[in-house]
Amino acid sequence: MIELDNVRKVYGDGTVAVDDVSLEVPEGETVTLVGPSGCGKTTTMTMVNRLTEITEGDVRIDGESIQDTDVIDLRRNIGYVIQEIGLFEHMTIAENISIVPDLRGWDEERKQERVEELLELIQLPQDVKTQYPANLSGGQRQRVGVARAMAAEPDIILMDEPFGALDPITRDELQDEFLDIQQKLDTTIMFVTHDIDEALKMGDRVAVLRDGELVQYDAPKDLLGSPKNEFVANFIGEDRVLKQLSAVTVREVMNAPQVGEGAGENPLSPDDSLKVALQRIFQQGDPLPVVEDGEVVGQVSEADIQAVTDRRTSEVLQ
Amino acid sequence: MYPPLTILGDTLTWLVENQQSVIEQTIQHLNVSLTSVGIALVLWVPLGLFLHEHDEFAPPVIGTAGMILTLPSLALLPLLIPIVGIGVAPAVVALVLYSALPMIRNTYTGLEEVDESMVRAGRGLGMTDRELLFKVKIPMALPVIFAGIRQAAVLVIGITTIAAFFGAGGLGESIFAGIRLDFPRQVLGATIVVSVIAIATDYGLLAVQRALPGGSEAT
Ligand SMILES: Nc1ncnc2c1ncn2[C@@H]1O[C@H](COP(=O)(O)OP(=O)(O)O)[C@@H](O)[C@H]1O
Ligand SMILES: [Mg+2]
């Protein structure tokens, strides 16, 4: 668990980059930090691995202040993907990936094994091992950057706009892959992005920052359902209701099934989003049965979905 | 006045006839040059590293090294003789001093210009300052550092010729004797050998530099 406790950062030139931010990243969860450029995301994140020294406040990892930990040990135990990727151009891909294991003194065999395992995980062919970063595409380089951060199996990974420099299609692909990877791991992740869609997609919780202040810290569907103020609502965008439909699952709104109702031809799963549900309803009419493990567990109608968006929309505009 | 073809033929004849002394002088020349470059390397590359860690000294040190390079060797060498004596010693001292600018400047700027994102990544992943220097900065700066060494080597081979005037030996001996005796074929013959050594060194070291990762961009 990472705890930021009233942290503040004032740079030498007087810029207040982070102003009294407190937030907790629970064990094994992904928190996305999102906000416009210059709002203090990178600064907030780099205070965790002490690349940025804290002016006031404290950061604790599993209850222990990072000020009490040796800074080199601290960093070797935290994976870090920097905004510019920053692969070592003079090292092969294998050397890049195994840099932290190398610093920690792993033997060759163990490093090799780990490299192969990670290449598989990030879906790169084994023969990139001996290549140099310059020979890789942007998407491949980003993958290697992520693998390098995960190499020594850290409990915490900090990712600063890891997919920022990619075209939308590759970015989407990498996001999905990373969500998959993340499911298998138990890593606590802080993920910086300026893209609200990415923040909503990747985060178990989303922290919205503005001018160095934490504006709202909530699960994606709560952020979408009840943006705290106009800034957050505007940042989410005009298509807030659509995003909300993507973020809420059928399980959360479904009603008890009608007795004796069959599964029908094309039933919903409880883990489908309301967006999927609505699309089916438009095609097939409502109510639609919800089926899990071959059993009808509920049903959803258009009105149920409408109720969700209505309720949450009215909450915003009080 | 000599027709060009005649003098070229005369020069080749002179080189062949005086093989023995030309080879001896070449060896002596290389000896002085290599010793100087070797000593310069041990002094100036570490000084460049030091300047990288202590930025504030960079402008005065590099400025001084630049100033030294503007001193004419014919003036510097006699100034050194009362201090270190005659022969090879003043030559080596002067050549080491002339090597200072290319070696210090390239080491310093090479290290300073290492991509900030790599340094940040290295630091963020938990490298100590030392690991960052040896695993990231020096390897990345190596082509630029090497280019400085190459420039110094070529410079030194040229100036070694002048050092012969003050008793350091080498191919300059034949050149100065040829001038004194008004014997152009000897001047030209020895000059060609010096040029060939300088050009071969330049290309040889350039090839090594190009073979370094990232070496093709450095000049
Ligand atoms: N080293 C620095 N010195 C002075 N100001 C800085 C420095 N780094 C960042 N800043 C300023 O702090 C603010 C927050 O920057 P940053 O954390 O990089 O924002 P973000 O990552 O959200 O774009 C910006 O106004 C930026 O200009
Ligand atoms: Mg940033």
Side-chain angles (χ1 to χ4, degrees):
Chain A
M1 182 172 71
I2 312 170
E3 294 164 88
L4 274 62
D5 184 2
N6 295 299
V7 291
R8 191 174 148 84
K9 175 65 191 182
V10 185
Y11 281 109
D13 61 1
T15 310
V16 181
V18 176
D19 198 2
D20 210 22
V21 166
S22 294
L23 63 85
E24 272 179 30
V25 186
E27 188 90 46
E29 286 199 11
T30 299
V31 164
T32 47
L33 303 181
V34 69
S37 171
C39 70
K41 305 179 294 291
T42 298
T43 304
T44 304
M45 166 174 279
T46 52
M47 282 193 281
V48 175
N49 66 2
R50 288 178 61 185
L51 273 183
T52 304
E53 284 300 329
I54 301 170
T55 310
E56 268 173 52
D58 197 9
V59 173
R60 283 183 297 273
I61 292 176
D62 297 333
E64 196 181 341
S65 166
I66 57 167
Q67 307 296 341
D68 300 337
T69 318
D70 175 66
V71 67
I72 298 297
D73 286 339
L74 177 81
R75 290 177 189 158
R76 287 183 188 173
N77 286 310
I78 298 178
Y80 181 41
V81 183
I82 75 162
Q83 194 164 353
E84 306 84 2
I85 320 180
L87 295 184
F88 304 122
E89 300 291 335
H90 61 294
M91 294 185 193
T92 62
I93 299 308
E95 288 167 337
N96 264 284
I97 293 177
S98 55
I99 190 73
V100 181
D102 185 61
L103 295 173
R104 286 199 187 176
W106 290 19
D107 61 45
E108 274 313 309
E109 197 181 334
R110 188 166 166 215
K111 280 194 282 184
Q112 278 305 313
E113 259 168 44
R114 185 64 181 143
V115 168
E116 282 163 23
E117 201 175 287
L118 282 164
L119 285 175
E120 199 159 313
L121 191 68
I122 58 169
Q123 304 188 21
L124 285 186
Q126 293 293 333
D127 59 18
V128 300
K129 269 192 285 196
T130 52
Q131 290 185 7
Y132 287 90
N135 302 329
L136 268 53
S137 70
Q140 290 175 321
R141 291 163 64 92
Q142 296 271 15
R143 287 181 160 90
V144 174
V146 172
R148 182 175 66 176
M150 303 196 317
E153 300 181 322
D155 295 329
I156 294 175
I157 299 181
L158 309 178
M159 309 177 84
D160 198 349
E161 312 213 11
F163 312 134
L166 300 174
D167 61 273
I169 294 170
T170 316
R171 184 187 315 153
D172 215 49
E173 228 173 78
L174 255 71
Q175 286 169 348
D176 291 337
E177 279 173 26
F178 190 72
L179 282 173
D180 256 14
I181 292 171
Q182 198 189 326
Q183 298 273 299
K184 297 177 207 154
L185 305 174
D186 205 17
T187 315
T188 308
I189 296 169
M190 223 181 196
F191 187 115
V192 160
T193 173
H194 62 263
D195 174 0
I196 184 69
D197 293 315
E198 186 169 66
L200 294 166
K201 178 173 176 183
M202 306 304 287
D204 296 310
R205 296 175 191 224
V206 180
V208 182
L209 296 172
R210 178 198 195 182
D211 297 337
E213 288 177 39
L214 181 62
V215 185
Q216 186 166 2
Y217 184 41
D218 267 318
K221 64 177 192 309
D222 296 329
L223 195 77
L224 288 163
S226 18
K228 204 165 188 174
N229 57 28
E230 223 177 285
F231 171 75
V232 179
N234 286 336
F235 196 64
I236 293 168
E238 306 250 310
D239 54 347
R240 187 168 63 82
V241 171
L242 290 179
K243 286 172 179 160
Q244 197 179 344
L245 292 177
S246 305
V248 180
T249 60
V250 166
R251 193 189 299 279
E252 294 171 69
V253 303
M254 67 188 185
N255 297 308
Q258 225 106 75
V259 188
E261 198 190 343
E265 270 173 32
N266 196 5
L268 287 166
S269 142
D271 295 322
D272 281 335
S273 69
L274 293 190
K275 190 174 164 190
V276 172
L278 199 60
Q279 188 170 339
R280 295 271 180 78
I281 287 172
F282 285 162
Q283 289 166 342
Q284 297 166 233
D286 66 346
L288 277 180
V290 182
V291 172
E292 188 171 34
D293 300 328
E295 210 177 300
V296 179
V297 292
Q299 66 168 25
V300 176
S301 66
E302 189 177 336
D304 300 328
I305 297 172
Q306 176 96 52
V308 173
T309 57
D310 278 355
R311 173 163 50 79
R312 291 185 170 159
T313 310
S314 59
E315 276 168 20
V316 195
L317 305 168
Q318 10 106 358
Chain B
M1 286 297 271
Y2 282 81
L5 273 182
T6 318
I7 192 167
L8 213 59
D10 289 349
T11 302
L12 284 176
T13 315
W14 180 84
L15 280 172
V16 172
E17 281 170 358
N18 297 277
Q19 274 182 36
Q20 197 57 41
S21 69
V22 168
I23 289 170
E24 272 164 27
Q25 285 178 355
T26 301
I27 291 170
Q28 172 64 3
H29 200 109
L30 286 175
N31 189 14
V32 173
S33 297
L34 276 177
T35 308
S36 307
V37 172
I39 294 172
L41 209 65
V42 174
L43 288 177
W44 306 139
V45 173
L47 182 56
L49 289 177
F50 173 84
L51 294 182
H52 168 66
E53 317 260 296
H54 305 272
D55 268 326
E56 65 274 21
F57 297 115
V61 171
I62 292 174
T64 308
M67 222 183 58
I68 290 172
L69 201 55
T70 65
L71 299 174
S73 43
L74 279 171
L76 179 62
L77 284 161
L79 284 176
L80 290 169
I81 290 172
I83 307 170
V84 294
I86 199 149
V88 171
V92 169
V93 172
L95 294 171
V96 167
L97 289 175
Y98 285 131
S99 303
L101 183 68
M103 286 194 187
I104 297 172
R105 184 196 51 203
N106 278 40
T107 304
Y108 173 73
T109 52
L111 291 169
E112 292 288 307
E113 282 167 7
V114 173
D115 196 296
E116 186 52 40
S117 69
M118 271 182 245
V119 174
R120 205 174 156 75
R123 193 163 277 137
L125 292 167
M127 288 187 185
T128 61
D129 286 344
R130 211 185 149 73
E131 285 163 342
L132 201 57
L133 187 65
F134 285 97
K135 285 178 190 284
V136 179
K137 290 181 184 171
I138 292 181
M140 285 307 298
L142 207 55
V144 182
I145 297 175
F146 204 82
I149 296 170
R150 195 184 96 231
Q151 286 166 23
V154 173
L155 190 77
V156 161
I157 289 167
I159 300 178
T160 300
T161 316
I162 313 253
F165 196 74
F166 301 95
L171 289 156
E173 267 183 24
S174 289
I175 295 173
F176 286 117
I179 292 170
R180 236 178 4 254
L181 302 170
D182 194 16
F183 197 38
R185 67 187 69 170
Q186 179 170 331
V187 176
L188 198 56
T191 303
I192 288 172
V193 178
V194 174
S195 305
V196 168
I197 297 173
I199 292 167
T201 305
D202 196 21
Y203 277 88
L205 294 181
L206 189 62
V208 177
Q209 180 192 322
R210 292 249 160 91
L212 298 169
S216 44
E217 287 120 59
T219 47

